[in-house]
Amino acid sequence: YIPLRISFRAHQMKYLVDERYPQADKIGVIQDQLNTHVKASLYKAFEPKEAKRILDKLEFHYTPKHGSW
């Protein structure tokens, strides 16, 4: 069993890689510090080979812990 929020995040990343930006070499993903577990969620939702394929196209950037927009 995979919690819905984990599965949803993983499938969002797969959508970005496969559907939205299939031609991109790298896709920058900006997240707040609360969403630091997306990498692990990919390995929970997909086979390791598929999770690695998706992660290889993603580049994560995190917002500062103490800052405002």
Side-chain angles (χ1 to χ4, degrees), residues 4-24:
L4 182 59
R5 65 179 167 23
I6 291 173
S7 178
F8 182 71
R9 285 187 200 131
H11 284 87
Q12 280 181 318
M13 296 299 113
K14 183 172 174 34
Y15 167 77
L16 286 175
V17 168
D18 293 343
E19 306 286 331
R20 188 75 170 121
Y21 304 105
Q23 303 301 332

Side-chain angles (χ1 to χ4, degrees), residues 13-65:
M13 296 299 113
K14 183 172 174 34
Y15 167 77
L16 286 175
V17 168
D18 293 343
E19 306 286 331
R20 188 75 170 121
Y21 304 105
Q23 303 301 332
D25 293 327
K26 285 283 184 184
I27 300 166
V29 179
I30 300 172
Q31 307 184 147
D32 61 22
Q33 294 292 330
L34 298 174
N35 292 314
T36 58
H37 304 291
V38 170
K39 293 177 185 179
S41 71
L42 286 166
Y43 282 96
K44 289 181 180 179
F46 304 113
E47 293 293 321
K49 186 175 180 179
E50 177 68 355
K52 183 174 178 352
R53 180 189 71 82
I54 295 167
L55 283 171
D56 285 347
K57 291 195 81 175
L58 300 175
E59 184 174 280
F60 293 94
H61 303 276
Y62 300 96
T63 59
K65 287 183 182 180

